[in-house]
Structure formats: C-alpha cells, structure tokens
C-alpha cells in the first residue's frame, strides 16, 4: 500500500505544474536559504501578482508612477502572514491591534545582474527586512540577496547593503500608492537585520502550516484513503 501511494503521488506531481504558492517548497535550508517566487522585475510597468486560486500570473494594475520596482520582487512559497507574524510585529512595535495581511510573505531580492523576466524561482539568502504596516496589517518585506550574485551574493547583513540602495527600495513602498492617497496608511517602523528576518520567515511558515497544512502529506493521506476504500 505504501509503495502504491508513493508511486501515485509522484506521478501526480510529475503530471501537473506546481502551484507557485503551495507546490514550490520554501527551501530545505530555510530560513537561512529560501526560495523566492519572482512576480515583478525592475523593468515592469505593470504590477503582476500570482492568482491565489489558479497559480497563474495576473495583472493587478498598471504602475501609477514612473518609479518602478527597484529590485526583484515576489513572495516566499509556503508562507502566510497571520497570527504568528502579527504577534511578532505587535511585540516589536509595542502595539496590540496589528493583524496579519493574509498573504504570502513578501520578499525583495537584490542582484547586480539584470533579470529580464518574472514568473521564476530564485534561491536567495535573507539578510534583513522592513517592518512595514499597511492599514493596520503586518506587511513585512524581507530583503534578500540572490545566491552567488557577484556583487550582493556574499552579503550576510543588511548593513552591508549601500544605504542608497535600501533608501530606493524603501521609497518605492512608501510612495507607490500615492495617487489615491493610500500610501498615507503605509509605514515602515523598523529596518531589521538577518535574525529578525529569519524569525519572520519561520513564523510565516508556521502560519502557513496551521492554515493550509503540508500539501504532500495531504495528498498522501487522500490517496491512502482512496486505495483503502478499494481494497
């Protein structure tokens, strides 16, 4: 029975394209090395994001201003910002009312190389983050460096990143909603280091597991139940 289930599960995974959020792993060595699914690149004038139901990239909206995303941007697979992420944000800010934004954990990946397409997986090292609060929701932005990048790849601390690079990323998130006044509800309370970034990643992974479970385990359990019924 166990061997049959394993073969069926493997066949299903080979037959279907993995969902970017649920089907791609966070990374075997997380939180020290993680996968990022890249939705937007610096040359994009459209804000793309993954449709949570289908896994396809969809158009969210045209960018409202001429300032484009200054880095590779996307999310960390198998993460979710809910009560554990919110609890950490409340603790660090001294607040009590912040909640999770119920989205995957956002990530900015720094690279010296020009990447000319999104909808890709990038292996990266988290080195810090922005504690961003958007309308009362915890909306952390993890800052990471692309693995083996010739300029950023050996960095292990956000303090090693040039100030002007971080300022450019920070400015984007504080202003990209200005046209409708929504940026007034956005604030970055802290710029934090690698240890806090890894804690946010770990908590977002726990939030994901509590809300969605382990996809491989759920598939195995379902197949086992079906095969038992046929015996």
């Amino acid at each position: 029975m166990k061997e049959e289930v394993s073969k069926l599960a493997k066949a299903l995974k080979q037959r279907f394209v993995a969902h970017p959020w649920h089907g791609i792993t966070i990374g075997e060595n997380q939180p020290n090395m993680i996968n990022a699914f890249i939705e937007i690149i610096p040359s994009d004038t459209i804000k793309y994001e993954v449709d949570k139901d289908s896994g396809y990239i969809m158009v969210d909206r045209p960018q409202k201003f001429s300032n484009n995303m200054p880095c590779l941007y996307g999310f960390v697979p198998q993460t979710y910002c809910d009560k554990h992420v919110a609890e950490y944000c409340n603790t660090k800010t001294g607040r009590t009312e912040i909640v999770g934004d119920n989205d995957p954990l956002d990530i900015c990946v720094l690279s010296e190389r020009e990447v000319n397409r999104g909808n890709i997986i990038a292996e990266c090292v988290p080195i810090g983050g922005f504690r961003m609060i958007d309308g009362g929701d915890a909306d952390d932005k993890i800052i990471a460096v692309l693995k083996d990048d010739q300029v950023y790849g050996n960095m292990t601390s956000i303090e090693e990143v040039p100030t002007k690079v971080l300022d450019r990323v920070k400015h984007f998130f504080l202003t990209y909603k200005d046209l409708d006044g929504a940026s007034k509800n956005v604030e970055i309370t802290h710029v934090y280091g690698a240890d806090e970034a890894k804690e946010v990643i770990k908590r977002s992974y726990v939030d994901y597991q509590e809300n969605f479970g382990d996809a491989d385990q759920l598939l195995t359990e379902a197949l086992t139940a079906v095969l038992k019924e046929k015996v």
Side-chain angles (χ1 to χ4, degrees), residues 150-165:
Q150 291 179 316
V151 172
Y152 294 98
N154 290 326
M155 294 182 180
T156 58
S157 168
I158 199 169
E159 295 178 354
E160 298 176 67
V161 180
T163 301
K164 290 184 178 180
V165 172

Side-chain angles (χ1 to χ4, degrees), residues 61-113:
R61 63 176 179 270
Q63 297 287 19
K64 297 174 181 177
F65 298 103
S66 58
N67 57 324
N68 292 351
M69 182 68 69
C71 56
L72 302 176
Y73 179 77
F75 64 87
V76 183
Q78 297 182 341
T79 61
Y80 190 63
C81 297
D82 198 7
K83 63 181 181 180
H84 293 290
V85 171
E87 179 185 48
Y88 194 57
C89 187
N90 278 314
T91 298
K92 289 296 183 179
T93 58
R95 303 184 189 182
T96 58
E97 79 284 359
I98 297 168
V99 297
D101 69 355
N102 300 131
D103 278 329
L105 180 61
D106 295 326
I107 188 166
C108 302
V109 182
L110 303 177
S111 172
E112 172 262 346
R113 294 293 185 180

Side-chain angles (χ1 to χ4, degrees), residues 185-205:
N185 296 320
V186 176
E187 59 179 317
I188 293 175
T189 64
H190 301 86
V191 177
Y192 50 73
D195 289 342
E196 287 193 42
K198 292 173 184 178
E199 181 64 24
V200 173
I201 292 167
K202 288 190 287 187
R203 284 172 176 262
S204 67
Y205 183 64

Side-chain angles (χ1 to χ4, degrees), residues 64-65 132-135 171-188:
K64 297 174 181 177
F65 298 103
M132 186 166 132
I133 301 171
D134 187 350
H171 178 265
F172 176 84
F173 287 116
L174 290 176
T175 61
Y176 77 106
K177 295 182 179 180
D178 271 350
L179 195 61
D180 55 14
S183 285
K184 293 179 180 178
N185 296 320
V186 176
E187 59 179 317
I188 293 175

